[in-house]
Amino acid sequence: MRKIVIVEDEPELANNIAELVSLLGYQVAGIFNNFKSCLLFLNENPVDLVILDILLKGEETGIELGRTISNTYDTPIIFCSAYTDEQLLQQVKSIKHSGYIVKPFNRQILKTTIFLALNDKFVTPPSSGKDTLHVRDKGYLIPIEFKNILIAEADGLYTKIVTAKKNYLIRAILKNIEEQLPSNKFLRVHKSYLVNLDHISSFNSKGVKINDSIVPVRRGYFKSLKELFSN
């Protein structure tokens, strides 16, 4: 059974969330109202998800706790708050998280957000000195070497990473993926496509062939592609 930690400074609301979590078929691993007690628990107990309020008891906020959890553990975070002001959302945006629930919320919203968080796939920046992307797939971190990535294709707020063996749909826009890949190996040939130059078998002004796939080429990008191969 998936284990979920709830961090909420209002006892009654914390108990209500815990009841909903249990009714949805998950185990409530712990309920905390402050930064320190939650981290002490996480240091000793692996969990699958943290539902985290922005306002907590003590000096540290949920933002600071979320950042610490994100930097220390591979544990999805769902932020929970009654506040939606832009300054707060900008702080949340800077932290890797899997959902943001606005209070008050109902069982269906909680159910959907938890499901997506536990089954989501996201990419984390590569470790320094390693030519890999780390993709979380079904709860496991999977390192994908840059050389094995054939195509990166935009799909709204997601990006499809195409390799010879498997495709991964990850929660990251193409622009963010492009920033993590080496510019001397990957080229944007269309607003929705990045391709690995080492895997191009042929191309013309309309398309690039990589393995059995044909990736469209946008007119403005063809010149850069042609110049690279000419050189």
Side-chain angles (χ1 to χ4, degrees), residues 66-109:
R67 182 172 290 109
T68 301
I69 293 172
S70 175
N71 291 336
T72 308
Y73 310 98
D74 179 37
T75 304
I77 298 169
I78 294 175
F79 282 106
C80 182
S81 176
Y83 301 98
T84 58
D85 59 277
E86 185 175 346
Q87 184 177 2
L88 175 65
L89 294 177
Q90 286 295 337
Q91 295 181 62
V92 171
K93 181 183 175 182
S94 68
I95 301 169
K96 183 179 70 179
H97 64 286
S98 298
Y100 190 98
I101 300 178
V102 179
K103 300 176 184 177
F105 54 86
N106 57 33
R107 176 177 174 174
Q108 194 60 39
I109 290 174

Side-chain angles (χ1 to χ4, degrees), residues 124-142:
T124 59
S127 303
S128 177
K130 294 185 178 181
D131 295 334
T132 58
L133 287 179
H134 288 85
V135 175
R136 187 161 66 86
D137 185 7
K138 298 179 180 179
Y140 294 91
L141 270 181
I142 301 174

Side-chain angles (χ1 to χ4, degrees), residues 48-65:
D48 299 291
L49 177 69
V50 176
I51 299 176
L52 176 58
D53 187 16
I54 299 294
L55 298 180
L56 302 177
K57 299 290 186 182
E59 297 181 359
E60 293 91 351
T61 67
I63 296 290
E64 294 166 313
L65 177 56

Side-chain angles (χ1 to χ4, degrees), residues 105-164:
F105 54 86
N106 57 33
R107 176 177 174 174
Q108 194 60 39
I109 290 174
L110 184 64
K111 176 183 178 181
T112 303
T113 308
I114 290 176
F115 176 84
L116 291 175
L118 291 175
N119 293 278
D120 202 1
K121 302 171 186 178
F122 62 85
V123 63
T124 59
S127 303
S128 177
K130 294 185 178 181
D131 295 334
T132 58
L133 287 179
H134 288 85
V135 175
R136 187 161 66 86
D137 185 7
K138 298 179 180 179
Y140 294 91
L141 270 181
I142 301 174
I144 305 176
E145 293 186 63
F146 293 158
K147 66 181 182 180
N148 293 329
I149 298 174
L150 308 180
I151 303 165
E153 177 184 353
D155 186 2
L157 296 176
Y158 291 75
T159 297
K160 181 168 74 172
I161 300 295
V162 179
T163 72

Side-chain angles (χ1 to χ4, degrees), residues 21-66:
V21 167
S22 296
L23 288 172
L24 291 172
Y26 304 106
Q27 178 182 340
V28 178
I31 301 176
F32 307 95
N33 64 6
N34 64 82
F35 181 100
K36 185 176 180 179
S37 62
C38 178
L39 282 187
L40 286 173
F41 180 84
L42 293 178
N43 284 338
E44 302 293 334
N45 303 275
V47 300
D48 299 291
L49 177 69
V50 176
I51 299 176
L52 176 58
D53 187 16
I54 299 294
L55 298 180
L56 302 177
K57 299 290 186 182
E59 297 181 359
E60 293 91 351
T61 67
I63 296 290
E64 294 166 313
L65 177 56

Side-chain angles (χ1 to χ4, degrees), residues 214-225:
I214 301 293
V215 177
V217 174
R218 197 171 181 178
R219 182 178 299 177
Y221 296 98
F222 177 66
K223 183 178 179 181
S224 298
L225 181 63

